[in-house]
């Protein structure tokens, strides 16, 4: 956004809480942190020289390499002098008279801005459950999303980990061999498909780079903005014979990653089709995990893909290590943390270090924690009390000239987020240039457009299996959070709609002179 704004001749300043660039890849330094979209796709497309010259070492890049990439981009485009680091924004208030945002940060520093772009991320406010006694634990406590910069040595230690989502799956897989004992506290079993990660094949890299622009174009036509190399099989799982089904599932399992959910074209649309894929994965878990009790507990029961699918590098295999224990806390929740461990079902489990892999207050958490006030001083917390009203995921009625990147109401959570970010940055920049060209001072979504958009997001979700489980897409992972389905499924239709809105002079928006 900063690069784009500068190229458009705008003056811009980035306020960043971290001491460096990278966002997700700056804060999530837990062992095994790795992207779940292939590196050749999970990168910026806006500069041909950048994408030609950068060399990924692995099929799925790990956090240190992703952080190097973010730093490389910042240096290559000379962005650091436009970023104020170690600056945590606490709020922003719309000044109606001056038609400017007054942005404030910890320490009291403040800025005035005509436009305010929230690039604060859909998964950036960690969720720390309110476990009684957490402060009394005598060992170290880590949250995967706030991992220390120095490596943590668990050698010989008894470690407890709460959670089995993507962050936990990667952490467990990585630390299990070196721990003295690892106890996994599982509330909902996760579906994980193999990444089959490895060094990036030079021939594959050369093939992509020979026509990188074409590769990006083809990916933009995919529902998630990635995966054009192996598009979904255009066949229903319900009409395929059993042998055909097994063959297709097996083929995708061997390929790895999210391509598994494209084994048939209705796995995310029809619960009966979905059940067939789910049973295939349960069969894989049974064949990998030797202890029948662990194997039973590790087999998920919910629809597959409803919570975001995990992409792993030997997760289930780790449960064959005798010192890796699995405790089911679905029926008997964690009652409290004790000085030496935790209590569940009246039993105390002891450990020396505790890892919380308990996710995020997703999509809305970061904005809702701010003192963000729009027209008439209305707080975002009030505006969004029943769920995140928005238009195109980009704008909020009553919050003029504020844009949200990768927020609720957009496809960010279902896409290669790099694609979503670039799409939003281009749209926002075009919008600002349009306003300047047309001599308009402000833009704001109308209430009617916003209401219709939220309804549209829900209507699309109803055609999928995404409403059948308690996911962070629904806000269901945070006690008391309104259950509203927040992300939109389907990038190409979304991008077409955003383009159409712009072409029609920002239809659904109120513009002031
Ligand atoms: P998550 O998917 O929300 O997982 C959080 C885990 O903590 C869940 O297993 C949850 O159980 C458990 N949990 C939360 N509160 C609990 C409580 N009070 N008691 C017991 N268990 C509790 O969070 P995440 O793993 O950090 O991942 C979030 C998202 O970030 C992912 O879906 C993905 O989009 C992204 N991510 C991607 C990667 C990658 O592979 N590139 C890696 C990490 C994260 P329930 O399921 O029962 O709620």
């Amino acid at each position: 956004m900063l690069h784009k704004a500068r190229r458009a001749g705008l003056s811009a300043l980035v306020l960043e809480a971290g001491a460096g660039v990278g966002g997700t890849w700056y804060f999530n330094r837990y062992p095994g942190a790795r992207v779940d979209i292939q590196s050749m796709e999970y990168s910026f497309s806006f500069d041909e020289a950048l994408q030609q010259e950068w060399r990924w070492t692995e099929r799925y890049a790990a956090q240190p390499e992703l952080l190097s990439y973010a730093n490389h981009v910042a240096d290559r485009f000379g962005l650091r002098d436009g970023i104020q680091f170690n600056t945590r924004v606490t709020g922003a208030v719309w000044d109606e008279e001056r038609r400017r945002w007054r942005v404030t940060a910890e320490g009291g520093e403040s800025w005035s801005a005509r436009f305010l772009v929230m690039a604060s991320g859909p998964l950036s406010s960690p969720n720390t459950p309110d476990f009684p006694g957490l402060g009394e634990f005598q060992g170290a406590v880590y949250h995967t999303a706030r991992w220390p910069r120095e490596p943590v040595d668990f050698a010989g230690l008894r470690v407890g980990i709460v959670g089995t989502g993507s962050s936990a799956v990667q952490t467990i897989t990585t630390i299990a061999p070196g721990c003295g004992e690892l106890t996994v506290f599982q509330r909902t079993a996760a579906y994980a498909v193999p990444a089959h990660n490895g060094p990036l094949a030079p021939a594959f890299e050369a093939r992509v780079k020979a026509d990188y622009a074409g590769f990006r174009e083809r990916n933009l036509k995919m529902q998630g903005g990635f995966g054009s190399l192996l598009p979904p099989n255009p066949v229903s799982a319900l009409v395929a014979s059993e042998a055909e089904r097994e063959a297709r599932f097996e083929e995708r399992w061997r390929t790895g990653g999210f391509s598994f959910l494209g084994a048939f074209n209705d796995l995310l649309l029809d619960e009966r089709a979905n059940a067939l894929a789910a049973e295939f994965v349960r069969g894989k878990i049974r064949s990998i995990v030797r202890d029948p009790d662990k194997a039973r507990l590790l087999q998920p029961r919910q629809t597959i893909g409803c919570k975001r699918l995990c992409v792993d590098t030997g997760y289930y295999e780790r449960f064959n290590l005798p010192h890796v224990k699995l405790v089911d806390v679905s029926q008997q929740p964690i009652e409290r943390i004790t000085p030496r461990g935790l209590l569940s079902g009246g039993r105390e489990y002891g450990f020396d270090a505790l890892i919380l892999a308990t996710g995020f207050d997703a999509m809305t958490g970061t904005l809702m924690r701010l003192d963000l006030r729009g027209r008439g001083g209305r707080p975002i917390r009030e505006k969004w009390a029943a769920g995140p009203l928005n238009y195109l995921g980009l704008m909020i009625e009553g919050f003029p000239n504020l844009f949200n990147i990768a927020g609720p109401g957009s496809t960010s959570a279902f896409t290669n987020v790099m694609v979503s970010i670039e799409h939003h940055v281009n749209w926002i920049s075009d919008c600002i240039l349009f306003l300047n060209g047309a001599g308009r001072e402000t833009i704001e979504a109308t209430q009617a457009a916003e209401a219709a958009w939220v309804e549209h997001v829900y209507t699309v979700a109803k055609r999928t299996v995404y409403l059948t489980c308690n996911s962070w897409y629904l806000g269901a992972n945070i006690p008391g959070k309104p259950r509203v389905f927040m992300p939109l499924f389907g990038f190409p239709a979304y991008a077409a709609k955003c383009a159409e809105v712009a072409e029609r002079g920002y239809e659904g928006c109120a513009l002031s002179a």
Side-chain angles (χ1 to χ4, degrees):
M1 187 77 236
L2 175 61
H3 179 58
K4 185 87 186 170
R6 283 178 163 180
R7 278 209 305 201
L10 303 167
S11 109
L13 174 68
V14 175
L15 302 173
E16 167 59 50
V21 296
T24 281
W25 303 109
Y26 176 87
F27 286 104
N28 291 262
R29 293 166 190 257
Y30 61 82
R34 183 181 294 286
V35 67
D36 55 5
I37 307 272
Q38 292 195 45
S39 316
M40 292 299 286
E41 298 175 84
Y42 191 88
S43 51
F44 288 123
S45 72
F46 67 82
D47 188 275
E48 177 64 10
L50 167 69
Q51 63 184 5
Q52 286 296 336
E53 287 164 28
W54 180 263
R55 309 277 320 258
W56 296 105
T57 63
E58 288 181 284
R59 193 171 174 214
Y60 293 92
Q63 177 269 336
E65 191 169 20
L66 291 154
L67 192 57
S68 302
Y69 176 71
N71 277 289
H72 172 74
V73 173
D75 291 334
R76 184 178 187 115
F77 297 103
L79 301 177
R80 285 184 201 277
D81 62 351
I83 309 175
Q84 184 168 324
F85 293 106
N86 300 304
T87 304
R88 182 166 288 280
V89 168
T90 51
V93 178
W94 176 249
D95 180 338
E96 183 65 46
E97 209 168 300
R98 298 181 58 231
R99 297 202 285 184
R100 290 288 181 275
W101 283 98
R102 164 115 341 238
V103 183
T104 44
E106 267 172 14
E109 201 176 349
S110 72
W111 300 263
S112 171
R114 182 167 159 223
F115 296 101
L116 180 59
V117 180
M118 303 305 298
S120 43
L123 293 162
S124 49
S125 287
N127 166 41
T128 300
D130 192 12
F131 294 130
L134 188 55
E136 291 154 33
F137 182 65
Q138 282 171 357
V141 180
Y142 304 94
H143 194 295
T144 45
R146 287 292 176 270
W147 204 263
R149 294 183 77 152
E150 333 51 72
V152 180
D153 185 7
F154 292 115
L157 292 185
R158 295 171 311 148
V159 180
I161 180 164
V162 180
T164 49
S166 297
S167 300
V169 163
Q170 295 183 329
T171 305
I172 292 164
T173 306
T174 308
I175 68 170
C179 291
E181 182 181 276
L182 179 64
T183 309
V184 178
F185 297 93
Q186 171 183 279
R187 187 165 68 182
T188 309
Y191 289 101
V193 296
H196 299 305
N197 186 37
L200 187 66
F204 172 66
E205 183 187 358
R207 200 175 110 210
V208 170
K209 287 187 172 177
D211 178 25
Y212 224 143
F215 180 60
R216 304 283 195 192
E217 273 304 309
R218 290 187 290 280
N219 277 338
L220 290 179
K221 297 196 175 81
M222 308 302 293
Q223 292 297 347
F226 70 102
S228 63
L229 289 170
L230 183 57
N233 175 18
V235 174
S236 162
L238 300 171
V239 301
S241 68
E242 198 179 329
E244 170 72 4
R245 269 202 315 266
E246 282 298 301
R248 289 286 88 77
F249 285 144
E250 192 61 49
E251 184 183 272
R252 297 272 172 153
W253 183 269
R254 277 202 306 270
T255 305
F258 287 115
S259 78
F260 181 78
L261 293 174
F264 294 96
N265 68 0
D266 50 358
L267 300 182
L268 291 171
L269 303 177
D270 186 305
E271 284 190 63
R272 293 165 306 161
N274 186 285
L276 297 166
E279 185 47 33
F280 177 87
V281 177
R282 282 192 290 267
K284 286 288 181 194
I285 298 169
R286 288 192 293 271
S287 74
I288 296 169
V289 181
R290 290 193 290 271
D291 177 329
D293 290 332
K294 286 185 189 170
R296 181 177 49 78
L297 282 178
L298 284 167
Q299 290 173 61
R301 288 185 287 268
Q302 72 274 17
T303 36
I304 183 169
C306 182
K307 285 173 187 261
R308 188 172 164 116
L309 190 64
C310 302
V311 177
D312 80 296
T313 47
Y315 172 63
Y316 297 119
E317 286 81 350
R318 292 294 183 263
F319 290 89
N320 288 331
L321 296 170
H323 67 276
V324 176
K325 320 273 182 206
L326 182 61
V327 177
D328 175 16
V329 293
S330 64
Q331 305 305 316
Q332 294 169 315
I334 295 167
E335 287 156 49
R336 62 176 299 112
I337 308 294
T338 67
R340 286 175 309 277
L342 72 71
L343 207 62
S344 163
R347 181 175 162 194
E348 185 174 17
Y349 299 88
F351 38 78
D352 309 308
L354 172 61
I355 300 173
L356 300 173
T358 44
F360 302 86
D361 184 352
M363 310 221 75
T364 56
T366 303
L367 263 59
M368 292 286 266
R369 280 163 210 210
L370 295 178
D371 178 21
L372 181 59
R373 280 178 278 151
R375 218 182 267 291
R378 189 177 188 198
I380 190 79
R381 292 188 195 116
E382 185 188 304
K383 165 96 191 181
W384 279 6
L389 291 165
N390 68 84
Y391 181 44
L392 305 175
L394 279 158
M395 286 181 283
I396 306 165
E397 180 272 333
F399 292 74
N401 288 3
L402 181 143
F403 300 101
N404 205 5
I405 293 184
S410 78
T411 52
S412 64
F414 291 138
T415 60
N416 171 359
V417 78
M418 299 299 271
V419 166
S420 281
I421 291 169
E422 285 197 318
H423 169 248
H424 275 179
V425 163
N426 289 336
W427 195 94
I428 293 165
S429 152
D430 288 349
C431 179
I432 292 173
L433 292 180
F434 167 83
L435 295 173
N436 286 349
R440 304 295 199 129
E441 187 65 21
T442 67
I443 185 167
E444 177 181 348
T446 65
Q447 256 180 14
E450 202 173 60
W453 186 253
V454 172
E455 182 62 31
H456 171 66
V457 171
Y458 181 60
T459 304
V460 173
K462 273 197 296 193
R463 292 188 213 124
T464 71
V465 300
Y466 287 114
L467 298 177
T468 63
C469 70
N470 290 323
S471 67
W472 58 257
Y473 302 140
L474 255 178
N477 63 326
I478 303 294
K481 188 165 172 171
R483 283 179 78 104
V484 175
F485 195 78
M486 295 180 281
L488 174 66
F489 182 74
F491 179 76
Y494 171 66
K497 173 70 183 173
C498 291
E500 186 187 298
V501 164
E503 276 156 26
R504 296 189 178 173
Y506 295 90
E507 189 178 52
C509 300
L511 279 62
S512 78

